[in-house]
Amino acid sequence: MAKILVGGILQETNTFCVQEETYDSFNQYRGQALMEYLHTSPAKLLEQAGHTVVPAVYASIIPSGPMNAREFQRFLEDFLSYCTDDIDGIWLSMHGAMSVEGIGSAEACLVSRLRQRYGDAMPIFGSFDFHANMCLDLVRQMNYITGYRTAPHTDIYETGCRAVRALIRCLEEKRLPHCRYISIPMVMPGELVITGQWPTCHFLEELEKIQKQWDVLDLSLFCGFAWSDCDRNQMAITLSDDTMDPSMVQQVLDLAGQIWAHRTDFDYGQAIPKEPEDAVPFCRESTAPVIFLSDTGDNVTAGCAGDNALLAGCMIQGGLERALAAGIADRPAVELCFAHPLGDSVRFSLGGTIDPAGSTRIPVSGTLVWKHTFQAEELPTPLRIAVVRCGGVDVLICDQRYSVTTRKRINDTGLRYDDYRIIAVKLGYLFPDFAEQNPCSVLVMTPGNAYQNTAKIPYTHGPSRFYPRDDFTFFPRIEPV
């Protein structure tokens, strides 16, 4: 039976974010904790098949700013310390859009170090996020790549299982596959590439048909992560198998051409885009029982600072009722509130404490109605929150970046989701728990480091030509040849 090394690193890096991350700010899973964690728990399939799992380390953090090379080296040394000579295969769970200052692709760097350690004959299989930015340095070193089929992501576990089962199959059949990819010069925000909406769902279905027709180990579509200033920022299709039949490859190339031909057809679906100045009047006039306002430009789940108070200010000034402005990161404001008893009137400036140059500060005057400390999901340290009531708007302030993605995360703060008709969240598309409530979803086109109009993002290291900034003739090709 084989010994399989398991681990990885997961961060979606917004390179425009000013806050650098350290290795200590990552949640780190080892041993049994790694075996139980969602992203790496498919490793249990290896044990069930009679193989031995060698757990390395799995490090993850919510989307955020870049890590420098020195801090990333700490992760590499930690991971490589688990590498022994008797390894027969490797499964990595990674994001695919992690950037390290001075290095570039974190995933490609990790795999390169493993290749140096184990050589070209070691099977290295990986599962990735749908928003990965695939690049030649990574793809040519991998034996197998698969990505989530859903955005919003609901198949993280299933994707890991698919990679693990493929590794087991290849070990049993003594196969060593290789990877190829097709880059498509489209830089699209994830809000335009929802997998349950046309045309994305159509292309995923077509890839699955080709995969089944040719019994290919895997074909995956990747949207890419738009807020990464790097030349690998693009849409892509990956192919993983040990035999790349020319007819199969041509079908995938043709599909890449179809994606490009439909580049203008990607839209927001049922979500309603609104400029900030139009969002509040829309809420007042709407008869929808529940309205979500997505503060797209300051989307914490896209790595933004989460400290822009612009939308909260619009809601307060607009006199909204039964409204919640959720998850503004401002540690000094929380500390001020914790120095007051509940019921006190408080005045302070809110916002701009993480990214002062890129975030709007607003004056806040209201009543302190709630304070709470608890261990929030995906945060390494306890979260302190304060709620200030400004007329009909409750402002939920956090002492660190916190992604409010579910009803539970609202209720965990001590508030009640059902008390509100209008909820502003620092998201782009709504995560499944919110979306399943069938609310009126408004994408507020706020400025910030997750700006929706990619044609106007000031890339300095991005691809030289891409849609929607440019329109040109594109002929798909497979890499590496």
Side-chain angles (χ1 to χ4, degrees), residues 19 47 77 147 224 353 357 369 387 429 431 461:
Q19 184 180 22
E47 293 182 330
E77 291 173 357
T353 57
V369 296
V387 180
Y429 55 68
F431 279 45
H461 304 291

Side-chain angles (χ1 to χ4, degrees), residues 18 307 351-361:
V18 299
D307 69 339
T353 57
I354 298 175
D355 186 6
S359 299
T360 298
R361 290 178 66 81

Side-chain angles (χ1 to χ4, degrees), residues 7-28:
I9 190 165
L10 186 143
Q11 185 208 31
E12 189 175 56
T13 308
N14 189 317
T15 60
F16 299 99
C17 184
V18 299
Q19 184 180 22
E20 281 193 353
E21 295 296 345
T22 66
Y23 185 41
D24 291 336
S25 63
F26 279 65
N27 292 299
Q28 299 171 24

Side-chain angles (χ1 to χ4, degrees), residues 47-123:
E47 293 182 330
Q48 294 169 12
H51 302 296
T52 300
V53 175
V54 180
V57 60
Y58 185 74
S60 70
I61 193 172
I62 65 173
S64 47
M67 179 189 284
N68 63 44
R70 181 185 65 256
E71 289 295 316
F72 186 63
Q73 183 63 31
R74 291 179 59 199
F75 162 74
L76 289 175
E77 291 173 357
D78 191 1
F79 190 99
L80 294 170
S81 69
Y82 293 90
C83 295
T84 57
D85 292 338
D86 54 350
I87 298 299
D88 300 298
I90 300 171
W91 170 52
L92 302 172
S93 175
M94 300 185 287
H95 187 284
M98 181 177 179
S99 293
V100 178
E101 294 175 349
I103 290 178
S105 169
E107 297 87 358
C109 182
L110 171 59
V111 176
S112 177
R113 292 294 297 273
L114 290 170
R115 284 289 174 217
Q116 292 172 23
R117 177 71 172 77
Y118 291 110
D120 293 338
M122 175 63 68

Side-chain angles (χ1 to χ4, degrees), residues 363-382:
V364 168
S365 177
T367 303
L368 179 63
V369 296
W370 185 241
K371 298 183 291 184
H372 187 40
T373 302
F374 65 104
Q375 185 57 59
E377 298 175 71
E378 297 186 355
L379 293 181
T381 58

